[in-house]
Amino acid sequence: MNGLLSEHPLAELISEISTKTLWGALRVVRDRAKAVIYFETGKVIYATTNLHNYRLAEYLQKQGLAAAEQIAAAENALTDFALAAALMANRVLTRNALDRTLDEQVADVLRMLLLWPDGE
């Protein structure tokens, strides 16, 4: 489905996906900002964006779970999940801390997206 958020508000799209227990990804674009919400059986399982403040590295530093040097040491980590895997392999990050951080990150991304008055 392609459309505009002004015609199909994000909250309604999420509700419909949830009601129909759909799987897949919902991509949202506004200017240069891009985001993706992933669903399994209608439930949000992950949400991410290209906006720097909403990247995992930022959350880990803000919460004091990883230092900038530790994040930089995982130089091959091009995605949030690759970064998480590298930090857990280096015993910088525990699974519980990662799960809590991802929950916060996803909630913040969704809150931000729900505030977008327009987009595609």
Side-chain angles (χ1 to χ4, degrees):
M1 170 184 208
N2 290 322
L4 301 175
L5 290 178
S6 58
E7 296 172 7
H8 305 283
L10 185 59
E12 290 179 15
L13 293 172
I14 292 172
S15 177
E16 186 172 338
I17 290 168
S18 178
T19 300
K20 293 182 179 179
T21 63
L22 299 175
W23 291 63
L26 179 61
R27 299 179 197 292
V28 185
V29 178
R30 182 175 187 225
D31 300 322
R32 290 186 291 192
K34 298 175 184 177
V36 183
I37 306 169
Y38 296 92
F39 296 87
E40 277 185 13
T41 61
K43 294 181 176 78
V44 174
I45 58 164
Y46 190 62
T48 190
T49 180
N50 65 339
L51 298 174
H52 184 72
N53 290 342
Y54 292 91
R55 302 303 300 182
L56 181 61
E58 294 298 313
Y59 279 78
L60 294 173
Q61 288 181 69
K62 180 174 63 174
Q63 294 177 0
L65 296 172
E69 300 80 28
Q70 294 168 312
I71 291 169
E75 62 188 43
N76 293 331
L78 300 177
T79 67
D80 284 354
F81 287 116
L83 174 62
L87 292 175
M88 287 193 307
N90 292 335
R91 300 184 191 270
V92 172
L93 187 63
T94 66
R95 184 71 205 191
N96 284 340
L98 172 63
D99 288 344
R100 285 192 311 273
T101 304
L102 288 174
D103 286 346
E104 181 181 342
Q105 179 191 21
V106 169
D108 287 349
V109 169
L110 289 172
R111 273 191 285 276
M112 182 251 324
L113 293 174
L114 288 168
L115 293 173
W116 285 7
D118 54 29
E120 299 177 30

